[in-house]
Amino acid sequence: MTLKILFINGPNLNLLGEREQSQYGSTTFNELKELSVKKSEELNIKLEFVQSNIEGEIVTWIQEAKKTHDGIIINAAAFTHTSVAIRDALQIFNKPKIELHISNIYNREEFRKKSLISDVVTGGIFGLGSNGYILAIMAMHKMLNK
Ligand code: DQA
């Protein structure tokens, strides 16, 4: 059976490649999407790769994924540090879920050191740049094939 993974990207990640390259590198959002889809195809995963700047939209996607997807990978971006609503939705999603950050949120500003979602996800990847996207897909694939 083909696994279905939902890959959610939060606010401002559509501007990857042009925003703060010292933190996030030069890979654009579309390039990351292409790399992620390619890796998923190699692993026989059907990947839905989405981005939103709107908190409620992300909450709805997580809710709907309960019925349609086998796992969630999420870079909640700034909502990581503020959104109880995304945290609650992830807590309700009772399948594998990976938190992802391109930068190392623990060696940046104080307000980034607190993630509201780390303790409700299965595991996390941070600080490995855009490679983290590929690693997250590989980790999810391993988890779901156990
Ligand atoms: C980020 C880290 C967040 O603190 C920040 O708000 C982002 C991106 C990352 O991928 O490193 O937008 O999630």
Side-chain angles (χ1 to χ4, degrees):
M1 201 190 63
T2 306
L3 295 170
K4 285 187 76 180
I5 296 177
L6 179 61
F7 203 135
I8 300 174
N9 292 274
N12 299 306
L13 293 173
N14 52 315
L15 299 182
L16 285 174
E18 61 179 270
R19 72 181 284 217
E20 290 172 276
Q21 291 203 357
S22 57
Q23 289 296 347
Y24 304 119
S26 57
T27 310
T28 66
F29 179 76
N30 279 337
E31 286 167 348
L32 264 188
K33 182 173 180 170
E34 274 170 32
L35 288 170
S36 301
V37 168
K38 187 166 169 274
K39 178 44 92 182
S40 302
E41 281 170 359
E42 280 170 28
L43 298 173
N44 195 29
I45 289 168
K46 190 167 182 311
L47 189 76
E48 197 178 336
F49 195 91
V50 293
Q51 189 275 330
S52 179
N53 296 324
I54 303 168
E55 184 178 7
E57 190 166 34
I58 294 175
V59 170
T60 301
W61 284 338
I62 297 169
Q63 289 181 4
E64 289 174 353
K66 265 161 63 70
K67 291 205 184 83
T68 52
H69 290 77
D70 301 298
I72 289 179
I73 301 169
I74 182 164
N75 184 348
F79 291 147
T80 307
H81 317 294
T82 62
S83 178
V84 176
I86 290 176
R87 174 202 167 83
D88 286 351
L90 283 170
Q91 196 160 28
I92 296 162
F93 182 85
N94 60 358
K95 296 177 193 175
K97 42 206 161 175
I98 294 176
E99 174 182 0
L100 170 67
H101 299 286
I102 298 169
S103 65
N104 182 344
I105 57 172
Y106 300 102
N107 72 6
R108 300 183 61 190
E109 302 96 324
E110 271 315 303
F111 66 85
R112 289 187 209 276
K113 292 185 179 156
K114 177 75 188 158
S115 164
L116 295 186
I117 65 175
S118 291
D119 63 326
V120 298
V121 294
T122 316
I125 294 173
F126 59 88
L128 301 181
S130 47
N131 284 333
Y133 275 63
I134 303 304
L135 294 171
I137 292 166
M138 290 167 69
M140 181 60 83
H141 178 252
K142 284 242 178 227
M143 258 193 286
L144 291 172
N145 277 298
K146 255 194 187 162

